Amino acid sequence: MTKKYPSKVSYGLLTFIFLVFYGPLIPDLINGELNAKSIGFIGVLSVVFAFIAHLFLKTQYTIDHNKLKIKCGLFSFKPIDIDEIKEISKTKSIISSPAPSFDRIEIKYGQFNKVIVSPKDKYHFVEDLTKINPRIKNKITE
């Protein structure tokens, strides 16, 4: 069984990043004070912002037999053996993770490992994980 779950995306967070990047340039745009250096800077910011947007929009979680695979844009994380997952719970942590939303869940696995994810359909995601490993302590539906 292979099942893919796209990540939920907080467009407010993406908008905030956009404003942080481009907000300081608004006075120059209004006053017409753009020069070649400013345009080059806008180009670099646009490439970086496009990369960040790609990470946000192309994050997905795949359950492939007994493995949980996490892909964040161009980056793939080491697959997690679902039999090693101990607990799944809601979290408000803002730690950097492959979760482009504030609606996040934390997966604890192995001895001390954890990853924070944000599947769009977290209930079915957790349900599919617990079907494979019924020993998972599910704190999402509690």
Side-chain angles (χ1 to χ4, degrees):
M1 168 183 97
T2 298
K3 196 158 183 187
K4 293 185 180 192
Y5 289 89
S7 180
K8 188 173 188 177
V9 176
S10 290
Y11 290 101
L13 179 58
L14 199 54
T15 302
F16 174 76
I17 294 168
F18 179 85
L19 292 174
V20 167
F21 272 38
Y22 295 103
L25 299 171
I26 292 174
D28 289 343
L29 288 171
I30 292 172
N31 296 329
E33 297 175 4
L34 286 179
N35 55 34
K37 188 176 182 181
S38 297
I39 292 171
F41 186 62
I42 290 171
V44 169
L45 283 179
S46 296
V47 168
V48 173
F49 183 75
F51 177 71
I52 291 169
H54 175 72
L55 292 177
F56 268 58
L57 301 172
K58 294 296 181 180
T59 297
Q60 72 176 14
Y61 317 105
T62 304
I63 297 173
D64 187 9
H65 296 94
N66 198 36
K67 299 286 184 192
L68 172 60
K69 298 176 180 178
I70 301 170
K71 187 161 174 64
C72 184
L74 304 170
F75 305 105
S76 292
F77 289 72
K78 181 180 176 187
I80 297 169
D81 187 350
I82 295 172
D83 286 331
E84 291 185 13
I85 296 176
K86 295 178 177 159
E87 181 179 306
I88 301 174
S89 58
K90 295 177 185 176
T91 184
K92 298 288 185 190
S93 175
I94 58 170
I95 292 174
S96 178
S97 64
S101 170
F102 290 123
D103 185 14
R104 299 168 152 205
I105 58 176
E106 180 179 69
I107 298 173
K108 294 181 182 176
Y109 65 98
Q111 191 162 356
F112 301 110
N113 299 317
K114 61 184 172 178
V115 65
I116 297 172
V117 297
S118 60
K120 194 178 281 187
D121 185 358
K122 64 183 169 189
Y123 296 105
H124 285 110
F125 175 76
V126 172
E127 184 180 287
D128 284 344
L129 290 173
T130 56
K131 281 180 189 173
I132 295 169
N133 179 0
R135 295 180 312 277
I136 295 173
K137 188 185 290 183
N138 178 359
K139 294 185 174 182
I140 298 296
T141 56
E142 291 178 357

